[in-house]
Amino acid sequence: MGGVPVEESTEEVKAPDGGWGWAILAGCFVITGFSYAFPKAVSVFFKELIREFDVGYSDTAWISSILLAMLYGTGPLCSVLVNYFGCRPVMMVGGVFASLGMILASFSTSIIHIYLSTGVITGLGLALNFQPSLIMLNRYFSEKRPLANGLSAAGSPVALCCLSPLGQVLQYQYGWRGGFLILGGMLLNCCVCAALMKPLVAPKKKAKDLEQDKDQARKETEKEKPKAKLLDFSVFKNCGFVIYTVAASIMVLGLFVPPVFVVSYAKELGNEDTKSALLLTILGFIDIFARPTCGVIAGLSWVRPRCVYLFSFALIFNGTTDLIGSQAKDYTSLVVFCIFFGISYGMVGALQFEVLMAIIGTEKFSSAIGLVLLMEAIAVLVGPPSAGRLLDATKNYMFVFLLAGSEVFLSAVVLATSNFLFNRSKSSSSADELENAVTETSRTEVSSAAAEVNDREEKGAREEQEKETVKEEKEEDDAQRVEEARPESTAVDSQDVERFLKQQNGDVAANPETNL
């Protein structure tokens, strides 16, 4: 089943940046579309649900909130399942759950049943597809990852452009029950996308390499190897990860509110249902081009290291759009709002997981994304319902959009400011460490120089002593040689003297001693 922990499966495998990765990207495109577009597309049925079950805006808004909360809140569970079973089987089960929830919702007799079926079961199924697809995309792409993230994120607006008008048509033709049933059948396509998620395997090696690998594996098995963690909490030691998590939690409080309420806003202004649903199509159409374009920009060599600040700009753009859009009074104003919101929303969608991947890396990404989604789930669960309560209390959409814009804008300020201060303190600490290292190096050099001088003096003294020793030994040798060359006795042999004199005078002396 491919049940290999993430830390072991891709540790030594290089991301291909293409090949089967494009099939992975296609599957991720569809999964992202269903995951993000479904909570917005379901809002098309809210008017019918309010009429059917006699509930308020805040009650129907809980459907989208629970969907998004399950999508985000089950992140740690998805991380554990992926690390234990692998991406493909988890996504297969998720596809079945997503379809089953919508089919059961078509038989609901109260709004609580829809909460449980559409919200919990379908939300869990989409979560079991969404997170593993991002993990697979991160494994297959490295250099082209910003572009891949932008293209996969474009699945959300494409699906929104299709699902929103489709939901409106299904509502007219078959009612909300028939529409839910057909949408449940469409979600079975998640299982097809799951089949594309082939595990990334290292290329085949030669016989010699295989033998070396076997020997290395034997050595590694002899050593005690720690068990791989199913959920790694050490990511919270990364200050950049903590900053990102806090900012993202604030962001999702207001990020998803305008798409959920814009259709109802248009209907409140007296526009037809079809014309109002067209706003989501416009928003999605702009979003389609914004996400890949932002992905290309984020992949530029001088932009990629500063991707966090580009993400902060996207959040400021989105929050400002909400604040200005709150003053819309007619359909034309809402169209302009949807155009600019689509651009900013596309930028946020293309960059949010790219920034997380850049902060954490591939090895701990499966755990990091699960924990981030869990922290965001609380905010997602609170955001749209609180906006719905505000709408019920004020009967004015202006306050809803003002609240959403303020929350997104605040998240941008937190992210940019905290990241700037963190990098500044990090650079100053690095400078202090460098200065300390230089000081320590200079001290070491001084002490080494003094030691070198002492060594030289000692070496010179030893050489002088050795020279004196050699000189004394030489003098002793010379004296010994002279002593050995001196004759042992001065006595003269008389025969030798006589022989000498005979050779000189031709006569032999009678008394050699007298002659001598």
Side-chain angles (χ1 to χ4, degrees):
M1 282 174 62
V4 183
V6 172
E7 286 80 9
E8 295 178 4
S9 62
T10 59
E11 190 176 17
E12 298 179 355
V13 184
K14 185 179 179 182
D17 274 316
W20 189 255
W22 299 116
I24 300 292
L25 177 59
C28 193
F29 178 89
V30 176
I31 295 296
T32 304
F34 279 132
S35 300
Y36 276 115
F38 230 79
K40 305 180 192 73
V42 170
S43 65
V44 173
F45 298 93
F46 281 0
K47 281 282 186 181
E48 290 296 320
L49 294 176
I50 290 171
R51 196 177 298 116
E52 175 88 13
F53 299 114
D54 192 22
V55 292
Y57 286 108
S58 59
D59 296 316
T60 54
W62 273 101
I63 299 172
S64 297
S65 291
I66 296 172
L67 257 172
L68 289 171
M70 291 300 295
L71 180 66
Y72 284 83
T74 55
L77 174 64
C78 293
S79 296
V80 171
L81 293 176
V82 167
N83 290 343
Y84 191 79
F85 294 106
C87 292
R88 183 184 284 173
V90 172
M91 292 179 68
M92 285 284 188
V93 175
V96 174
F97 272 47
S99 176
L100 180 64
M102 292 301 294
I103 292 172
L104 291 176
S106 64
F107 299 99
S108 298
T109 56
S110 70
I111 195 70
I112 303 297
H113 295 162
I114 296 180
Y115 290 162
L116 295 175
S117 55
T118 301
V120 177
I121 300 177
T122 299
L124 176 61
L126 292 175
L128 293 177
N129 276 271
F130 176 62
Q131 186 173 327
S133 67
L134 287 178
I135 293 171
M136 291 298 296
L137 190 70
N138 188 39
R139 291 182 189 176
Y140 270 85
F141 289 92
S142 178
E143 295 295 328
K144 299 178 181 178
R145 194 179 63 207
L147 175 62
N149 274 314
L151 290 173
S152 67
S156 174
V158 170
L160 187 61
C161 286
C162 299
L163 290 178
S164 185
L166 177 63
Q168 201 72 48
V169 172
L170 292 176
Q171 181 178 329
Y172 281 134
Q173 296 292 330
Y174 307 103
W176 69 268
R177 296 183 184 274
F180 275 28
L181 186 65
I182 294 172
L183 290 176
M186 291 178 60
L187 285 175
L188 284 173
N189 287 295
C190 293
C191 297
V192 179
C193 298
L196 298 174
M197 302 298 163
K198 184 174 70 173
L200 189 59
V201 182
K204 295 182 179 179
K205 299 181 179 180
K206 297 180 181 179
K208 293 182 179 179
D209 296 334
L210 290 174
E211 292 178 1
Q212 292 177 358
D213 291 343
K214 288 180 181 179
D215 295 337
Q216 187 176 1
R218 288 170 191 165
K219 294 178 181 178
E220 289 179 353
T221 51
E222 293 175 359
K223 299 178 182 179
E224 293 184 359
K225 192 174 183 181
K227 293 182 179 180
K229 296 180 181 179
L230 294 178
L231 192 61
D232 192 355
F233 288 95
S234 64
V235 292
F236 283 104
K237 296 179 181 178
N238 188 329
C239 189
F241 172 77
V242 174
I243 293 171
Y244 176 87
T245 304
V246 173
S249 300
I250 299 172
M251 172 193 74
V252 296
L253 281 171
L255 184 65
F256 302 115
V257 170
V260 170
F261 287 95
V262 68
V263 175
S264 301
Y265 191 6
K267 291 178 181 179
E268 189 72 19
L269 293 175
N271 296 291
E272 299 176 357
D273 291 352
T274 307
K275 194 176 180 181
S276 300
L278 184 62
L279 290 173
L280 286 180
T281 306
I282 295 171
L283 190 156
F285 182 77
I286 300 298
D287 198 0
I288 291 172
F289 299 99
R291 298 194 182 212
T293 304
C294 189
V296 172
I297 295 172
L300 297 176
S301 58
W302 58 276
V303 176
R304 195 168 185 182
R306 303 168 182 84
C307 200
V308 175
Y309 298 106
L310 181 61
F311 183 47
S312 301
F313 170 76
L315 292 174
I316 291 174
F317 187 12
N318 186 270
T320 305
T321 303
D322 291 344
L323 295 175
I324 297 174
S326 64
Q327 306 302 317
K329 300 299 181 184
D330 54 19
Y331 187 79
T332 304
S333 302
L334 288 176
V335 169
V336 174
F337 163 75
C338 287
I339 291 173
F340 284 96
F341 185 86
I343 296 172
S344 60
Y345 190 77
M347 293 177 68
V348 172
L351 293 171
Q352 58 177 337
F353 295 114
E354 169 59 28
V355 172
L356 180 60
M357 290 176 186
I359 292 172
I360 292 298
T362 304
E363 185 178 353
K364 297 182 179 181
F365 180 71
S366 60
S367 297
I369 188 174
L371 294 170
V372 166
L373 293 179
L374 175 62
M375 300 298 291
E376 292 179 354
I378 301 171
V380 167
L381 194 61
V382 172
S386 61
R389 285 191 175 277
L390 180 63
L391 179 62
D392 290 337
T394 62
K395 305 297 181 182
N396 194 336
Y397 284 90
M398 179 184 72
F399 297 108
V400 173
F401 283 75
L402 284 174
L403 177 63
S406 301
E407 291 164 345
V408 176
F409 195 93
L410 177 62
S411 69
V413 174
V414 170
L415 180 63
T417 306
S418 301
N419 190 72
F420 176 77
L421 294 176
F422 169 67
N423 288 336
R424 188 175 180 181
S425 61
K426 189 176 180 181
S427 61
S428 63
S429 61
S430 300
D432 293 338
E433 291 176 1
L434 181 61
E435 184 178 355
N436 293 333
V438 170
T439 305
E440 189 68 25
T441 304
S442 62
R443 290 176 182 173
T444 306
E445 289 177 354
V446 170
S447 60
S448 62
E452 188 176 354
V453 171
N454 293 332
D455 291 340
R456 287 178 183 176
E457 291 177 354
E458 292 178 0
K459 187 176 180 181
R462 283 197 301 269
E463 289 178 356
E464 289 293 334
Q465 189 175 1
E466 288 175 0
K467 286 180 181 180
E468 290 178 0
T469 305
V470 171
K471 188 176 181 181
E472 290 175 358
E473 291 178 354
K474 189 175 181 181
E475 289 177 354
E476 289 178 1
D477 291 341
D478 292 342
Q480 189 175 358
R481 288 194 196 98
V482 171
E483 190 69 26
E484 291 175 355
R486 187 178 298 168
E488 295 179 0
S489 177
T490 55
V492 180
D493 190 1
S494 60
Q495 293 181 358
D496 291 338
V497 174
E498 186 179 352
R499 192 178 298 111
F500 175 74
L501 293 173
K502 186 178 179 181
Q503 289 176 356
Q504 294 292 329
N505 302 326
D507 297 328
V508 179
N511 193 353
E513 295 178 2
T514 307
N515 293 333
L516 180 61

